[in-house]
Amino acid sequence: MTAATATHPLAPRRSPLLPRGTVWTALRVHSTALWIWAALVTVTGAALLWAYGPGADGVREWNRTVARCSLEPTCVDPALDGPAYGFYDLIATTATSAIVYLPCLVADWAGATLVARDLENGTAALAWTQSVTPARWLAAQLAVPAALVTAGTTLLVLLHRLMWNDGHELLAQAWYEPDVFRANGTVTVAAALCALAVGALAGMLLRRTLPALGLAVAVTVALLVLEDLLRDSMWPAVTVTGAAASRVPDSAELLERGVILTSGERVARTPACLDGTGADLRRCMSENGVSGLYAVHHPSSHFWPLQLTETAVLLAVAALAVFLTFRALKRRTA
């Protein structure tokens, strides 16, 4: 045995199969948070699978019972929204909300507390003296929760789409409603990554855990509200006039409907007389100076264009927050 390869007989041996480095350290230190996140994903995923299988089957059986009863004169009609539907709707709606908000809250917590706590208690400064550069330390603080949150959120989105595609007719919600829209696509994953980046930036700037977490949650909530306000304008809506304006599909998101005046001006109102037909309708339109109808809507085919546009905006915000976080770290350690 050469001097280069000799080791002290009492020195602890490290298996070459055990992972080491900054990422593994982050996983070990924050293992409790990892288990909590895994539990949340498991419970929510189980609820979605139940709604996809036994829950939806129970509602369909109840609907068949109601249909059979309507054909029997002596049968007392059961409630259309019986206990099977009530419980199914509760589980499906709760799981949808969980997919939208839990990943963002977990990401806020991960970004804000992991960065701010290490800066607050001096762990970060100690790591920087142990051959771990500040940039590598921050990258590990972001990479580990980003991978875990992305994996868990993506799984939940896929399960929600499975439930939605199979039984959306059972849910009293449309595809364009905020929670359903987010839970069915990439927006939820992008929002979680954006929350993580915002949390890390708050932690780097404030360097105190609770204030950083509070700021991160406040900014994330503001971003979610802003998403809802701007979503319909993120992709060009369809405008139809004439008879097509009164036949907008039920599956479409109707943004505006009104009348076109003889002057060419569009007014978002519908005179009651337009419910008439023939000569009465023409006379009413003439008396009110109306030349036709118009409607503005997003058809269901706009789901993915809206999803991908909003996802791109959120990822751009996340990238900006990460850039500012590294800049702040560079200034702190310069």
PDB file of all heavy atoms in Angstrom, residues 199-233:
ATOM      1  N   GLY A 199     -39.665  33.464  -3.283  1.00  0.00           N
ATOM      2  CA  GLY A 199     -39.297  33.192  -1.894  1.00  0.00           C
ATOM      3  C   GLY A 199     -37.807  33.304  -1.663  1.00  0.00           C
ATOM      4  O   GLY A 199     -37.362  33.853  -0.645  1.00  0.00           O
ATOM      5  N   ALA A 200     -37.024  32.785  -2.601  1.00  0.00           N
ATOM      6  CA  ALA A 200     -35.562  32.874  -2.463  1.00  0.00           C
ATOM      7  C   ALA A 200     -35.098  34.326  -2.504  1.00  0.00           C
ATOM      8  O   ALA A 200     -34.213  34.727  -1.734  1.00  0.00           O
ATOM      9  CB  ALA A 200     -34.889  32.071  -3.570  1.00  0.00           C
ATOM     10  N   LEU A 201     -35.695  35.119  -3.382  1.00  0.00           N
ATOM     11  CA  LEU A 201     -35.318  36.530  -3.457  1.00  0.00           C
ATOM     12  C   LEU A 201     -35.685  37.257  -2.166  1.00  0.00           C
ATOM     13  O   LEU A 201     -34.890  38.059  -1.649  1.00  0.00           O
ATOM     14  CB  LEU A 201     -36.010  37.181  -4.654  1.00  0.00           C
ATOM     15  CG  LEU A 201     -35.740  38.677  -4.857  1.00  0.00           C
ATOM     16  CD1 LEU A 201     -34.253  38.943  -5.030  1.00  0.00           C
ATOM     17  CD2 LEU A 201     -36.533  39.201  -6.055  1.00  0.00           C
ATOM     18  N   ALA A 202     -36.868  36.959  -1.634  1.00  0.00           N
ATOM     19  CA  ALA A 202     -37.272  37.584  -0.368  1.00  0.00           C
ATOM     20  C   ALA A 202     -36.332  37.176   0.759  1.00  0.00           C
ATOM     21  O   ALA A 202     -35.944  38.007   1.595  1.00  0.00           O
ATOM     22  CB  ALA A 202     -38.710  37.192  -0.036  1.00  0.00           C
ATOM     23  N   GLY A 203     -35.941  35.897   0.784  1.00  0.00           N
ATOM     24  CA  GLY A 203     -35.015  35.435   1.813  1.00  0.00           C
ATOM     25  C   GLY A 203     -33.653  36.083   1.705  1.00  0.00           C
ATOM     26  O   GLY A 203     -33.029  36.424   2.720  1.00  0.00           O
ATOM     27  N   MET A 204     -33.184  36.288   0.483  1.00  0.00           N
ATOM     28  CA  MET A 204     -31.879  36.905   0.288  1.00  0.00           C
ATOM     29  C   MET A 204     -31.898  38.377   0.675  1.00  0.00           C
ATOM     30  O   MET A 204     -30.923  38.891   1.241  1.00  0.00           O
ATOM     31  CB  MET A 204     -31.462  36.759  -1.185  1.00  0.00           C
ATOM     32  CG  MET A 204     -30.092  37.324  -1.509  1.00  0.00           C
ATOM     33  SD  MET A 204     -28.760  36.529  -0.575  1.00  0.00           S
ATOM     34  CE  MET A 204     -28.885  34.841  -1.213  1.00  0.00           C
ATOM     35  N   LEU A 205     -33.000  39.055   0.403  1.00  0.00           N
ATOM     36  CA  LEU A 205     -33.073  40.487   0.689  1.00  0.00           C
ATOM     37  C   LEU A 205     -33.326  40.777   2.165  1.00  0.00           C
ATOM     38  O   LEU A 205     -32.713  41.677   2.744  1.00  0.00           O
ATOM     39  CB  LEU A 205     -34.173  41.135  -0.161  1.00  0.00           C
ATOM     40  CG  LEU A 205     -33.951  41.132  -1.675  1.00  0.00           C
ATOM     41  CD1 LEU A 205     -35.141  41.755  -2.389  1.00  0.00           C
ATOM     42  CD2 LEU A 205     -32.673  41.879  -2.044  1.00  0.00           C
ATOM     43  N   LEU A 206     -34.228  39.998   2.786  1.00  0.00           N
ATOM     44  CA  LEU A 206     -34.593  40.274   4.182  1.00  0.00           C
ATOM     45  C   LEU A 206     -33.714  39.532   5.185  1.00  0.00           C
ATOM     46  O   LEU A 206     -33.530  40.000   6.316  1.00  0.00           O
ATOM     47  CB  LEU A 206     -36.058  39.918   4.414  1.00  0.00           C
ATOM     48  CG  LEU A 206     -37.087  40.692   3.572  1.00  0.00           C
ATOM     49  CD1 LEU A 206     -38.493  40.275   3.938  1.00  0.00           C
ATOM     50  CD2 LEU A 206     -36.908  42.199   3.743  1.00  0.00           C
ATOM     51  N   ARG A 207     -33.225  38.323   4.810  1.00  0.00           N
ATOM     52  CA  ARG A 207     -32.314  37.531   5.646  1.00  0.00           C
ATOM     53  C   ARG A 207     -32.923  37.150   6.992  1.00  0.00           C
ATOM     54  O   ARG A 207     -32.203  36.839   7.943  1.00  0.00           O
ATOM     55  CB  ARG A 207     -30.996  38.276   5.872  1.00  0.00           C
ATOM     56  CG  ARG A 207     -30.303  38.707   4.590  1.00  0.00           C
ATOM     57  CD  ARG A 207     -29.121  39.578   4.878  1.00  0.00           C
ATOM     58  NE  ARG A 207     -28.630  40.215   3.667  1.00  0.00           N
ATOM     59  CZ  ARG A 207     -27.669  41.140   3.647  1.00  0.00           C
ATOM     60  NH1 ARG A 207     -27.109  41.527   4.775  1.00  0.00           N
ATOM     61  NH2 ARG A 207     -27.296  41.687   2.506  1.00  0.00           N
ATOM     62  N   ARG A 208     -34.214  37.173   7.088  1.00  0.00           N
ATOM     63  CA  ARG A 208     -34.930  36.742   8.285  1.00  0.00           C
ATOM     64  C   ARG A 208     -36.091  35.878   7.833  1.00  0.00           C
ATOM     65  O   ARG A 208     -36.830  36.231   6.904  1.00  0.00           O
ATOM     66  CB  ARG A 208     -35.420  37.937   9.100  1.00  0.00           C
ATOM     67  CG  ARG A 208     -34.289  38.791   9.679  1.00  0.00           C
ATOM     68  CD  ARG A 208     -34.839  39.953  10.475  1.00  0.00           C
ATOM     69  NE  ARG A 208     -35.667  39.482  11.585  1.00  0.00           N
ATOM     70  CZ  ARG A 208     -36.432  40.295  12.330  1.00  0.00           C
ATOM     71  NH1 ARG A 208     -36.480  41.593  12.042  1.00  0.00           N
ATOM     72  NH2 ARG A 208     -37.137  39.815  13.321  1.00  0.00           N
ATOM     73  N   THR A 209     -36.288  34.745   8.504  1.00  0.00           N
ATOM     74  CA  THR A 209     -37.185  33.714   8.005  1.00  0.00           C
ATOM     75  C   THR A 209     -38.637  34.166   7.915  1.00  0.00           C
ATOM     76  O   THR A 209     -39.249  34.121   6.846  1.00  0.00           O
ATOM     77  CB  THR A 209     -37.082  32.461   8.897  1.00  0.00           C
ATOM     78  OG1 THR A 209     -35.724  32.033   8.939  1.00  0.00           O
ATOM     79  CG2 THR A 209     -37.947  31.350   8.342  1.00  0.00           C
ATOM     80  N   LEU A 210     -39.225  34.580   9.021  1.00  0.00           N
ATOM     81  CA  LEU A 210     -40.656  34.905   9.024  1.00  0.00           C
ATOM     82  C   LEU A 210     -40.995  36.100   8.142  1.00  0.00           C
ATOM     83  O   LEU A 210     -41.957  36.031   7.359  1.00  0.00           O
ATOM     84  CB  LEU A 210     -41.129  35.135  10.460  1.00  0.00           C
ATOM     85  CG  LEU A 210     -41.168  33.882  11.347  1.00  0.00           C
ATOM     86  CD1 LEU A 210     -41.674  34.224  12.743  1.00  0.00           C
ATOM     87  CD2 LEU A 210     -42.045  32.808  10.712  1.00  0.00           C
ATOM     88  N   PRO A 211     -40.243  37.212   8.219  1.00  0.00           N
ATOM     89  CA  PRO A 211     -40.555  38.312   7.295  1.00  0.00           C
ATOM     90  C   PRO A 211     -40.420  37.909   5.825  1.00  0.00           C
ATOM     91  O   PRO A 211     -41.232  38.307   4.989  1.00  0.00           O
ATOM     92  CB  PRO A 211     -39.525  39.385   7.675  1.00  0.00           C
ATOM     93  CG  PRO A 211     -39.181  39.097   9.092  1.00  0.00           C
ATOM     94  CD  PRO A 211     -39.213  37.600   9.202  1.00  0.00           C
ATOM     95  N   ALA A 212     -39.406  37.098   5.527  1.00  0.00           N
ATOM     96  CA  ALA A 212     -39.216  36.658   4.141  1.00  0.00           C
ATOM     97  C   ALA A 212     -40.373  35.789   3.682  1.00  0.00           C
ATOM     98  O   ALA A 212     -40.881  35.930   2.555  1.00  0.00           O
ATOM     99  CB  ALA A 212     -37.896  35.899   4.010  1.00  0.00           C
ATOM    100  N   LEU A 213     -40.822  34.888   4.552  1.00  0.00           N
ATOM    101  CA  LEU A 213     -41.948  34.019   4.201  1.00  0.00           C
ATOM    102  C   LEU A 213     -43.216  34.837   3.996  1.00  0.00           C
ATOM    103  O   LEU A 213     -43.984  34.601   3.050  1.00  0.00           O
ATOM    104  CB  LEU A 213     -42.158  32.974   5.294  1.00  0.00           C
ATOM    105  CG  LEU A 213     -43.307  31.981   5.078  1.00  0.00           C
ATOM    106  CD1 LEU A 213     -43.129  31.233   3.766  1.00  0.00           C
ATOM    107  CD2 LEU A 213     -43.389  31.008   6.249  1.00  0.00           C
ATOM    108  N   GLY A 214     -43.470  35.802   4.880  1.00  0.00           N
ATOM    109  CA  GLY A 214     -44.649  36.651   4.732  1.00  0.00           C
ATOM    110  C   GLY A 214     -44.632  37.438   3.436  1.00  0.00           C
ATOM    111  O   GLY A 214     -45.650  37.535   2.733  1.00  0.00           O
ATOM    112  N   LEU A 215     -43.477  38.004   3.092  1.00  0.00           N
ATOM    113  CA  LEU A 215     -43.363  38.762   1.853  1.00  0.00           C
ATOM    114  C   LEU A 215     -43.554  37.859   0.639  1.00  0.00           C
ATOM    115  O   LEU A 215     -44.231  38.232  -0.326  1.00  0.00           O
ATOM    116  CB  LEU A 215     -41.996  39.446   1.794  1.00  0.00           C
ATOM    117  CG  LEU A 215     -41.696  40.234   0.510  1.00  0.00           C
ATOM    118  CD1 LEU A 215     -42.701  41.358   0.320  1.00  0.00           C
ATOM    119  CD2 LEU A 215     -40.269  40.783   0.538  1.00  0.00           C
ATOM    120  N   ALA A 216     -42.964  36.660   0.683  1.00  0.00           N
ATOM    121  CA  ALA A 216     -43.079  35.735  -0.448  1.00  0.00           C
ATOM    122  C   ALA A 216     -44.531  35.335  -0.687  1.00  0.00           C
ATOM    123  O   ALA A 216     -45.000  35.301  -1.831  1.00  0.00           O
ATOM    124  CB  ALA A 216     -42.216  34.501  -0.198  1.00  0.00           C
ATOM    125  N   VAL A 217     -45.261  35.034   0.386  1.00  0.00           N
ATOM    126  CA  VAL A 217     -46.669  34.646   0.244  1.00  0.00           C
ATOM    127  C   VAL A 217     -47.491  35.806  -0.299  1.00  0.00           C
ATOM    128  O   VAL A 217     -48.344  35.626  -1.182  1.00  0.00           O
ATOM    129  CB  VAL A 217     -47.231  34.168   1.597  1.00  0.00           C
ATOM    130  CG1 VAL A 217     -48.742  33.968   1.513  1.00  0.00           C
ATOM    131  CG2 VAL A 217     -46.560  32.869   2.019  1.00  0.00           C
ATOM    132  N   ALA A 218     -47.237  37.013   0.200  1.00  0.00           N
ATOM    133  CA  ALA A 218     -47.981  38.183  -0.270  1.00  0.00           C
ATOM    134  C   ALA A 218     -47.755  38.427  -1.758  1.00  0.00           C
ATOM    135  O   ALA A 218     -48.699  38.686  -2.515  1.00  0.00           O
ATOM    136  CB  ALA A 218     -47.582  39.415   0.543  1.00  0.00           C
ATOM    137  N   VAL A 219     -46.495  38.327  -2.203  1.00  0.00           N
ATOM    138  CA  VAL A 219     -46.189  38.547  -3.618  1.00  0.00           C
ATOM    139  C   VAL A 219     -46.805  37.445  -4.478  1.00  0.00           C
ATOM    140  O   VAL A 219     -47.343  37.707  -5.563  1.00  0.00           O
ATOM    141  CB  VAL A 219     -44.660  38.618  -3.830  1.00  0.00           C
ATOM    142  CG1 VAL A 219     -44.324  38.655  -5.324  1.00  0.00           C
ATOM    143  CG2 VAL A 219     -44.088  39.839  -3.137  1.00  0.00           C
ATOM    144  N   THR A 220     -46.770  36.205  -3.992  1.00  0.00           N
ATOM    145  CA  THR A 220     -47.353  35.095  -4.752  1.00  0.00           C
ATOM    146  C   THR A 220     -48.857  35.264  -4.905  1.00  0.00           C
ATOM    147  O   THR A 220     -49.411  35.040  -5.991  1.00  0.00           O
ATOM    148  CB  THR A 220     -47.037  33.763  -4.060  1.00  0.00           C
ATOM    149  OG1 THR A 220     -45.619  33.582  -3.998  1.00  0.00           O
ATOM    150  CG2 THR A 220     -47.645  32.595  -4.818  1.00  0.00           C
ATOM    151  N   VAL A 221     -49.536  35.641  -3.829  1.00  0.00           N
ATOM    152  CA  VAL A 221     -50.978  35.876  -3.912  1.00  0.00           C
ATOM    153  C   VAL A 221     -51.277  36.987  -4.909  1.00  0.00           C
ATOM    154  O   VAL A 221     -52.216  36.889  -5.717  1.00  0.00           O
ATOM    155  CB  VAL A 221     -51.545  36.220  -2.526  1.00  0.00           C
ATOM    156  CG1 VAL A 221     -52.991  36.696  -2.626  1.00  0.00           C
ATOM    157  CG2 VAL A 221     -51.467  35.015  -1.600  1.00  0.00           C
ATOM    158  N   ALA A 222     -50.484  38.054  -4.872  1.00  0.00           N
ATOM    159  CA  ALA A 222     -50.678  39.149  -5.822  1.00  0.00           C
ATOM    160  C   ALA A 222     -50.492  38.667  -7.264  1.00  0.00           C
ATOM    161  O   ALA A 222     -51.246  39.065  -8.164  1.00  0.00           O
ATOM    162  CB  ALA A 222     -49.702  40.281  -5.511  1.00  0.00           C
ATOM    163  N   LEU A 223     -49.508  37.789  -7.489  1.00  0.00           N
ATOM    164  CA  LEU A 223     -49.288  37.258  -8.835  1.00  0.00           C
ATOM    165  C   LEU A 223     -50.470  36.407  -9.293  1.00  0.00           C
ATOM    166  O   LEU A 223     -50.891  36.482 -10.459  1.00  0.00           O
ATOM    167  CB  LEU A 223     -48.002  36.428  -8.868  1.00  0.00           C
ATOM    168  CG  LEU A 223     -46.692  37.213  -8.870  1.00  0.00           C
ATOM    169  CD1 LEU A 223     -45.512  36.264  -8.739  1.00  0.00           C
ATOM    170  CD2 LEU A 223     -46.558  38.051 -10.137  1.00  0.00           C
ATOM    171  N   LEU A 224     -51.026  35.590  -8.401  1.00  0.00           N
ATOM    172  CA  LEU A 224     -52.177  34.756  -8.755  1.00  0.00           C
ATOM    173  C   LEU A 224     -53.383  35.615  -9.106  1.00  0.00           C
ATOM    174  O   LEU A 224     -54.124  35.318 -10.059  1.00  0.00           O
ATOM    175  CB  LEU A 224     -52.512  33.809  -7.602  1.00  0.00           C
ATOM    176  CG  LEU A 224     -51.491  32.721  -7.287  1.00  0.00           C
ATOM    177  CD1 LEU A 224     -51.942  31.882  -6.102  1.00  0.00           C
ATOM    178  CD2 LEU A 224     -51.242  31.822  -8.492  1.00  0.00           C
ATOM    179  N   VAL A 225     -53.609  36.670  -8.333  1.00  0.00           N
ATOM    180  CA  VAL A 225     -54.724  37.578  -8.625  1.00  0.00           C
ATOM    181  C   VAL A 225     -54.499  38.275  -9.965  1.00  0.00           C
ATOM    182  O   VAL A 225     -55.426  38.414 -10.782  1.00  0.00           O
ATOM    183  CB  VAL A 225     -54.887  38.607  -7.490  1.00  0.00           C
ATOM    184  CG1 VAL A 225     -55.912  39.664  -7.869  1.00  0.00           C
ATOM    185  CG2 VAL A 225     -55.296  37.916  -6.195  1.00  0.00           C
ATOM    186  N   LEU A 226     -53.269  38.717 -10.210  1.00  0.00           N
ATOM    187  CA  LEU A 226     -52.949  39.392 -11.465  1.00  0.00           C
ATOM    188  C   LEU A 226     -53.128  38.447 -12.650  1.00  0.00           C
ATOM    189  O   LEU A 226     -53.576  38.870 -13.730  1.00  0.00           O
ATOM    190  CB  LEU A 226     -51.519  39.921 -11.411  1.00  0.00           C
ATOM    191  CG  LEU A 226     -51.096  40.882 -12.530  1.00  0.00           C
ATOM    192  CD1 LEU A 226     -51.970  42.130 -12.509  1.00  0.00           C
ATOM    193  CD2 LEU A 226     -49.626  41.270 -12.369  1.00  0.00           C
ATOM    194  N   GLU A 227     -52.780  37.182 -12.472  1.00  0.00           N
ATOM    195  CA  GLU A 227     -53.013  36.181 -13.521  1.00  0.00           C
ATOM    196  C   GLU A 227     -54.474  36.147 -13.923  1.00  0.00           C
ATOM    197  O   GLU A 227     -54.823  36.156 -15.109  1.00  0.00           O
ATOM    198  CB  GLU A 227     -52.616  34.788 -13.027  1.00  0.00           C
ATOM    199  CG  GLU A 227     -51.150  34.493 -12.962  1.00  0.00           C
ATOM    200  CD  GLU A 227     -50.945  33.088 -12.434  1.00  0.00           C
ATOM    201  OE1 GLU A 227     -51.490  32.146 -13.049  1.00  0.00           O
ATOM    202  OE2 GLU A 227     -50.269  32.915 -11.408  1.00  0.00           O
ATOM    203  N   ASP A 228     -55.351  36.088 -12.921  1.00  0.00           N
ATOM    204  CA  ASP A 228     -56.785  35.997 -13.197  1.00  0.00           C
ATOM    205  C   ASP A 228     -57.290  37.228 -13.948  1.00  0.00           C
ATOM    206  O   ASP A 228     -58.158  37.124 -14.814  1.00  0.00           O
ATOM    207  CB  ASP A 228     -57.562  35.833 -11.891  1.00  0.00           C
ATOM    208  CG  ASP A 228     -57.307  34.491 -11.229  1.00  0.00           C
ATOM    209  OD1 ASP A 228     -56.854  33.565 -11.935  1.00  0.00           O
ATOM    210  OD2 ASP A 228     -57.555  34.366 -10.021  1.00  0.00           O
ATOM    211  N   LEU A 229     -56.747  38.394 -13.601  1.00  0.00           N
ATOM    212  CA  LEU A 229     -57.202  39.632 -14.230  1.00  0.00           C
ATOM    213  C   LEU A 229     -56.736  39.748 -15.679  1.00  0.00           C
ATOM    214  O   LEU A 229     -57.445  40.303 -16.531  1.00  0.00           O
ATOM    215  CB  LEU A 229     -56.704  40.834 -13.429  1.00  0.00           C
ATOM    216  CG  LEU A 229     -57.273  40.991 -12.011  1.00  0.00           C
ATOM    217  CD1 LEU A 229     -56.630  42.175 -11.305  1.00  0.00           C
ATOM    218  CD2 LEU A 229     -58.787  41.163 -12.052  1.00  0.00           C
ATOM    219  N   LEU A 230     -55.538  39.220 -15.973  1.00  0.00           N
ATOM    220  CA  LEU A 230     -54.947  39.403 -17.301  1.00  0.00           C
ATOM    221  C   LEU A 230     -55.107  38.189 -18.216  1.00  0.00           C
ATOM    222  O   LEU A 230     -54.783  38.283 -19.403  1.00  0.00           O
ATOM    223  CB  LEU A 230     -53.456  39.729 -17.161  1.00  0.00           C
ATOM    224  CG  LEU A 230     -53.108  41.002 -16.385  1.00  0.00           C
ATOM    225  CD1 LEU A 230     -51.594  41.174 -16.312  1.00  0.00           C
ATOM    226  CD2 LEU A 230     -53.752  42.223 -17.027  1.00  0.00           C
ATOM    227  N   ARG A 231     -55.573  37.068 -17.686  1.00  0.00           N
ATOM    228  CA  ARG A 231     -55.573  35.821 -18.466  1.00  0.00           C
ATOM    229  C   ARG A 231     -56.319  35.956 -19.785  1.00  0.00           C
ATOM    230  O   ARG A 231     -55.839  35.514 -20.844  1.00  0.00           O
ATOM    231  CB  ARG A 231     -56.186  34.698 -17.636  1.00  0.00           C
ATOM    232  CG  ARG A 231     -56.257  33.354 -18.380  1.00  0.00           C
ATOM    233  CD  ARG A 231     -56.695  32.253 -17.456  1.00  0.00           C
ATOM    234  NE  ARG A 231     -55.733  32.092 -16.383  1.00  0.00           N
ATOM    235  CZ  ARG A 231     -56.050  32.162 -15.086  1.00  0.00           C
ATOM    236  NH1 ARG A 231     -57.294  32.405 -14.725  1.00  0.00           N
ATOM    237  NH2 ARG A 231     -55.118  32.007 -14.167  1.00  0.00           N
ATOM    238  N   ASP A 232     -57.510  36.541 -19.774  1.00  0.00           N
ATOM    239  CA  ASP A 232     -58.323  36.597 -20.989  1.00  0.00           C
ATOM    240  C   ASP A 232     -57.689  37.434 -22.090  1.00  0.00           C
ATOM    241  O   ASP A 232     -58.028  37.282 -23.267  1.00  0.00           O
ATOM    242  CB  ASP A 232     -59.710  37.162 -20.663  1.00  0.00           C
ATOM    243  CG  ASP A 232     -60.512  36.210 -19.793  1.00  0.00           C
ATOM    244  OD1 ASP A 232     -60.256  35.002 -19.857  1.00  0.00           O
ATOM    245  OD2 ASP A 232     -61.386  36.690 -19.028  1.00  0.00           O
ATOM    246  N   SER A 233     -56.758  38.326 -21.713  1.00  0.00           N
ATOM    247  CA  SER A 233     -56.110  39.170 -22.711  1.00  0.00           C
ATOM    248  C   SER A 233     -54.768  38.614 -23.173  1.00  0.00           C
ATOM    249  O   SER A 233     -54.088  39.244 -24.000  1.00  0.00           O
ATOM    250  CB  SER A 233     -55.899  40.579 -22.133  1.00  0.00           C
ATOM    251  OG  SER A 233     -55.058  40.539 -20.998  1.00  0.00           O
TER     252      SER A 233
END
